[in-house]
Amino acid sequence: MKNLKYIITGAPGTGKTSIINELEKRRFYCVHENAREIIAEQIVNGGNILPWKNQIAFEKKIANLRVKHYLSSPRESVCFFDRSVIDCIAYLKSNNLEISAEIIKNVKITCFNNTVFYTPLWEDIYLRDNERKEDIKEARKIEKNILDTYQSQGYKLVEIPKTSVIERTNFIISNI
């Protein structure tokens, strides 16, 4: 049976959330990125589980949530995930930080379709904000690590064209 769980990944600020929102409007099961909500929560509560304070703890928390969402997703319908545990590895690699055995175990728990869609860096739409602190240079480095990490895990990367959200969504649907 074909694996119906698809990842959409890419550098920060490249339109993944807009695509996920459009897929959800079309009644696909979607799992949203949880990093922004964790960052916002930590800022409000004065917490330290932030990528710029304790990235290892941050990625561990994200990885555990991603596994939880993966395990609770339907088995027999198409599902889209805004990032996966593999992105946690790429972000840690971007800062030369150690990848814990727990994160590696979490990657093994999650099994996705071999085709991974990625949104390329797109300077025209890139914005920094309270949760997205990376400048464009850092975003490029993250993108390279994301692509390298997915390829090293055996995934086939499919670049989503820089077009409207509707066209990008149509592209993904036509390639599943």
Side-chain angles (χ1 to χ4, degrees):
M1 186 171 124
K2 183 177 178 183
N3 188 324
L4 302 174
K5 296 178 189 262
Y6 292 91
I7 301 166
I8 300 174
T9 191
T14 54
K16 293 176 298 300
T17 301
S18 296
I19 294 167
I20 287 287
N21 290 339
E22 180 63 25
L23 286 163
E24 204 166 45
K25 279 185 200 172
R26 297 182 192 196
R27 307 238 184 258
F28 285 100
Y29 184 91
C30 296
V31 175
H32 291 266
E33 164 67 278
N34 47 18
R36 291 179 73 82
E37 110 189 11
I38 292 168
I39 291 169
E41 173 189 291
Q42 289 293 307
I43 289 171
V44 167
N45 296 328
N48 290 319
I49 301 176
L50 293 161
W52 52 89
K53 284 189 177 180
N54 186 345
Q55 189 178 5
I56 292 172
F58 178 77
E59 298 299 342
K60 181 179 173 184
K61 183 174 181 97
I62 296 266
N64 288 332
L65 282 170
R66 288 180 179 159
V67 168
K68 180 181 170 188
H69 291 145
Y70 173 89
L71 293 173
S72 66
S73 65
R75 290 182 180 205
E76 295 171 15
S77 61
V78 174
C79 303
F80 292 99
F81 295 78
D82 186 343
R83 299 197 182 278
S84 79
V85 178
I86 295 167
D87 290 74
C88 296
I89 293 173
Y91 271 82
L92 289 166
K93 283 181 178 179
S94 291
N95 289 310
N96 299 313
L97 295 171
E98 185 178 333
I99 291 98
S100 70
E102 183 177 359
I103 288 179
I104 292 167
K105 181 188 88 168
N106 283 338
V107 168
K108 292 176 183 172
I109 291 171
T110 57
C111 179
F112 293 93
N113 188 285
N114 193 50
T115 298
V116 171
F117 297 97
Y118 79 94
T119 52
L121 197 57
W122 191 354
E123 289 189 44
D124 292 347
I125 65 169
Y126 188 81
L127 297 171
R128 292 170 74 179
D129 58 26
N130 284 343
E131 290 88 29
R132 184 181 300 124
K133 305 263 187 208
E134 302 93 348
D135 62 24
I136 202 74
K137 183 179 175 186
E138 290 169 300
R140 274 192 193 91
K141 181 179 177 183
I142 292 166
E143 178 180 60
K144 181 184 181 334
N145 279 303
I146 287 170
L147 299 177
D148 290 349
T149 304
Y150 274 96
Q151 287 173 331
S152 74
Q153 295 286 324
Y155 287 95
K156 176 186 153 216
L157 293 160
V158 176
E159 182 175 333
I160 300 169
K162 296 177 183 177
T163 57
S164 72
V165 173
I166 289 171
E167 290 170 333
R168 295 174 112 194
T169 305
N170 290 341
F171 174 83
I172 291 169
I173 293 168
S174 71
N175 282 281
I176 60 172

